[in-house]
């Protein structure tokens, strides 16, 4: 990746992160589903740090384990009390039973609105987006078009991937 490509990459992502921060800020105090679509697995700690720089809100990150059974329970268990201003969920693409998780999410979609008084950002790839359209159409319909980020896979831009649950506080 040349220096010019790297600058364009950073500028495009900064604009998308600003849009994401604006969506989070405008959704404070109530449930909102925000989808962020990226081709490559993100670096959660890096993403949360960058997002907090542009939003100034303490955003909580949740890394889903591959063995998760339901999205709702996994998030409810991981979310701090009192609830944070926003939650960003990573790792849906690594869930073993993702089809079942998405189907179950669609069935309990009203619980998200009842229990989560904050914007919920799901960090997904195109494969998960297509599965969500097919398996959780009612839940997915609560989100606007996904925000797209160019997640660079070049070594110079990849800090060590943190697999633990990340809290951006």
């Amino acid at each position: 990746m040349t220096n010019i490509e790297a600058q364009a990459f950073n500028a495009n992502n900064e604009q998308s992160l600003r849009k994401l921060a604006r969506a989070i800020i405008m959704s404070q105090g109530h449930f909102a589903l925000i989808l962020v679509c990226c081709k490559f697995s993100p670096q959660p700690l890096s993403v949360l740090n960058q997002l907090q720089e542009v939003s100034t809100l303490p955003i909580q990150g949740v890394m889903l384990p591959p063995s998760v059974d339901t999205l709702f329970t996994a998030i409810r268990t991981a979310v701090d009390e009192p609830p944070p201003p926003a939650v960003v969920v990573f790792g849906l693409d690594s869930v073993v039973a993702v089809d079942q998780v998405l189907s179950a999410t669609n069935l309990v979609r009203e619980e998200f609105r009842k229990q989560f008084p904050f914007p919920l950002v799901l960090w997904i790839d195109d494969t998960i987006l297509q599965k969500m359209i097919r398996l959780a159409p009612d839940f997915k319909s609560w989100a606007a078009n996904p925000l797209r980020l160019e997640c660079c896979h070049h070594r110079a831009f990849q800090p060590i991937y943190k697999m633990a649950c990340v809290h951006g506080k």
Side-chain angles (χ1 to χ4, degrees), residues 39-122:
K39 290 182 184 181
F40 302 99
S41 293
Q43 316 310 319
L45 188 56
S46 175
V47 168
L48 288 174
N49 288 339
Q50 290 175 15
L51 188 54
Q52 287 180 341
E53 284 177 20
V54 294
S55 74
T56 67
L57 292 172
I59 299 168
Q60 182 178 346
V62 173
M63 176 59 76
L64 296 176
S67 62
V68 76
D69 292 326
T70 67
L71 183 61
F72 176 79
T73 303
I75 296 169
R76 187 179 61 197
T77 303
V79 168
D80 294 338
E81 285 295 330
V87 172
V88 180
V89 177
F90 300 96
L92 194 54
D93 58 335
S94 67
V95 171
V96 175
V98 70
D99 289 4
Q100 291 83 356
V101 167
L102 290 174
S103 294
T105 298
N106 203 53
L107 293 174
V108 299
R109 64 190 170 276
E110 288 300 326
E111 290 304 311
F112 285 84
R113 283 191 176 163
K114 292 176 187 174
Q115 302 288 326
F116 299 156
F118 50 79
L120 176 66
V121 179
L122 296 182

Side-chain angles (χ1 to χ4, degrees), residues 35-42 89-95 98 102 122-133 146-149 151:
L35 303 177
V36 176
C37 202
C38 184
K39 290 182 184 181
F40 302 99
S41 293
V89 177
F90 300 96
L92 194 54
D93 58 335
S94 67
V95 171
V98 70
L102 290 174
L122 296 182
W123 203 278
I124 59 175
D125 61 18
D126 286 320
T127 302
I128 298 299
L129 178 60
Q130 291 307 311
K131 287 183 180 216
M132 188 176 281
I133 291 168
L147 292 170
R148 298 244 174 220
L149 275 115
C151 294

